[in-house]
Amino acid sequence: MQDGLGRTVNYMRISVTDRCNLRCLYCASHPTPFIPHPDILRYEEILSLLGLARGLGVAKIRFTGGEPFARRGFPGFLETVRDLYPDLDLRLTTNGTLIGPHIPLLVRSGIKRVNISLDTLDAATFLRITGQDLFAEVRSAIDQCLTARLKVKMNVVAMKGVNDQELPAFLDLARTHPLDLRFIEYMPIGGSSRWTPWSVWPAGDILEAAQKLATLTPVESRAGDRGPARVYAIENGLGRLGLITPLSSHFCATCNRLRLTAQGNLRTCLFSDREYRLRPLLRHPKLGLSAVERVIRLAGMKKPLGFRLLEERKGAEPVCQTEMSAIGG
Ligand code: SAM
């Protein structure tokens, strides 16, 4: 599917729940009401939408949340998706706290890539960021995924005064483990965000500091695996360093994604609160999937350039009001 600006849209991120067992200070630090259960898309509804999206040219799906493993039945749902749509490239984003027992099932289901969020290598800082004493679980989940030969990207939200002192430790981890360590610039998302311009640890500064600690060589991304990260090989390292720069160097021109929230709202840009409500159409006795398809096509035509929305906001205002945990990161 082409959007109104000629970009190919072939990637959908699907949030299976807005619930999460962590309360990260940059994501869901303030209590917001959860979506009532009847309003959350049922697994069979997600399956119908997947079939439709696939027909529109979506080839890559990322399941996210909230925390996807916090939703009951999620591992079994993945198996069903794999059985129904063996050609889809399935990926996951998780906080890693609950994934451990499900790793063999992921491997069986043909999942090859997992993004695990871990913003610190220090247990006390983990507790401060997430509100939960679960650092050891996440750290061990990363090792278990690597042992199971899953490709692991470890996502770190780069925050000044929170984890910027840990760059040497992060680089050591990437040197000694075959994973992609990816710093994501802290984004001003969510009405109750604690974001300030001073809390951003810009990718340029990270790169400059990292180059003093390691010899880095830019890596050309392979066709088919092009993401927003700028990736660097680390000399004598098993892993790599990636920088994701939504603030300092946007990648709107090549944005290929749509997002589906847990209640079935389609969002065409992370930075826009505009949502297209698919659930009422899907559940309507007469409208159903053909109406949903019309709305997805229309939404695609109106997919904005997020950096414009970033530029238009003032000072430390969030770019959108919805919390990341409710959008599906
Ligand atoms: N629970 C899962 C997890 O922790 O990965 C999936 C949902 S989480 C919202 C997805 C990703 O969004 C995480 O990597 C998280 O670090 C990132 N994220 C959330 N809020 C962010 C923000 N304000 N700026 C940058 N990244 C953010």
Side-chain angles (χ1 to χ4, degrees):
M1 191 172 86
Q2 299 274 303
D3 75 2
L5 299 170
R7 295 172 291 186
T8 300
V9 176
N10 54 15
Y11 177 19
M12 190 180 264
R13 296 168 83 109
I14 298 180
S15 171
V16 294
T17 178
D18 60 332
R19 273 76 168 167
C20 186
N21 56 336
L22 302 184
R23 285 279 163 276
C24 297
L25 54 88
Y26 52 80
C27 184
S29 56
H30 294 262
T32 42
F34 288 130
I35 304 166
H37 281 292
D39 293 347
I40 290 192
L41 283 187
R42 297 188 285 268
Y43 283 133
E44 54 276 25
E45 291 172 324
I46 300 178
L47 290 173
S48 309
L49 288 174
L50 276 174
L52 177 62
R54 185 167 151 269
L56 291 172
V58 171
K60 178 168 147 186
I61 300 289
R62 176 174 302 285
F63 292 109
T64 178
E67 171 48 39
F69 287 95
R71 177 159 177 183
R72 199 163 356 127
F74 177 67
F77 167 69
L78 280 179
E79 278 191 304
T80 311
V81 176
R82 170 55 70 223
D83 289 347
L84 274 180
Y85 305 118
D87 53 329
L88 282 178
D89 177 356
L90 300 182
R91 303 178 180 205
L92 300 177
T93 298
T94 170
N95 63 32
T97 55
L98 305 168
I99 193 177
H102 307 297
I103 292 171
L105 181 144
L106 298 185
V107 174
R108 262 201 327 275
S109 307
I111 306 274
K112 299 203 167 56
R113 296 179 162 82
V114 183
N115 288 7
I116 299 184
S117 306
L118 182 60
D119 305 311
T120 176
L121 297 173
D122 174 69
T125 310
F126 185 92
L127 176 59
R128 183 155 74 89
I129 295 174
T130 67
Q132 295 291 329
D133 190 10
L134 292 170
F135 170 75
E137 282 75 357
V138 184
R139 191 55 202 81
S140 153
I142 289 175
D143 285 342
Q144 291 174 59
C145 287
L146 291 173
T147 304
R149 297 189 173 276
L150 293 171
K151 284 203 189 324
V152 176
K153 291 179 180 168
M154 185 178 124
N155 286 344
V156 181
V157 179
M159 292 169 284
K160 260 208 189 123
V162 177
N163 55 11
D164 54 343
Q165 299 303 312
E166 294 189 51
L167 188 59
F170 281 127
L171 283 173
D172 272 348
L173 183 84
R175 256 194 214 100
T176 51
H177 295 72
L179 51 74
D180 276 8
L181 161 73
R182 307 192 320 162
F183 288 99
I184 307 173
E185 283 175 340
Y186 184 10
M187 296 178 279
I189 286 180
S192 55
S193 170
R194 297 183 188 189
W195 186 94
T196 69
W198 304 278
S199 51
V200 175
W201 180 20
D205 292 3
I206 301 174
L207 183 59
E208 203 181 308
Q211 279 167 330
K212 292 188 182 132
L213 297 166
T215 303
L216 303 174
T217 314
V219 176
E220 200 53 50
S221 55
R222 282 187 304 272
D225 200 24
R226 280 203 185 105
R230 289 190 342 244
V231 181
Y232 298 84
I234 304 172
E235 193 175 69
N236 298 324
L238 298 173
R240 310 187 300 178
L241 169 70
L243 299 168
I244 303 183
T245 56
L247 301 189
S248 63
S249 174
H250 67 82
F251 28 84
C252 298
T254 53
C255 182
N256 59 351
R257 16 183 114 168
L258 297 173
R259 290 184 153 80
L260 186 69
T261 68
Q263 71 269 52
N265 293 348
L266 187 73
R267 295 177 73 107
T268 57
C269 173
L270 180 57
F271 291 160
S272 168
D273 274 322
R274 175 136 200 208
E275 297 191 340
Y276 300 81
R277 297 170 64 225
L278 304 185
R279 195 189 69 242
L281 302 176
L282 202 58
R283 291 188 183 170
H284 192 283
K286 296 218 174 83
L287 296 173
L289 279 178
S290 58
V292 172
E293 176 175 344
R294 278 198 298 281
V295 172
I296 295 180
R297 286 187 186 279
L298 175 87
M301 291 314 286
K302 292 176 184 281
K303 184 172 156 64
L305 288 167
F307 77 93
R308 294 236 170 97
L309 304 170
L310 258 187
E311 281 171 3
E312 280 163 15
R313 76 190 221 293
K314 295 183 190 63
E317 265 180 18
V319 63
C320 63
Q321 293 300 318
T322 319
E323 303 295 325
M324 192 72 148
S325 57
I327 299 173

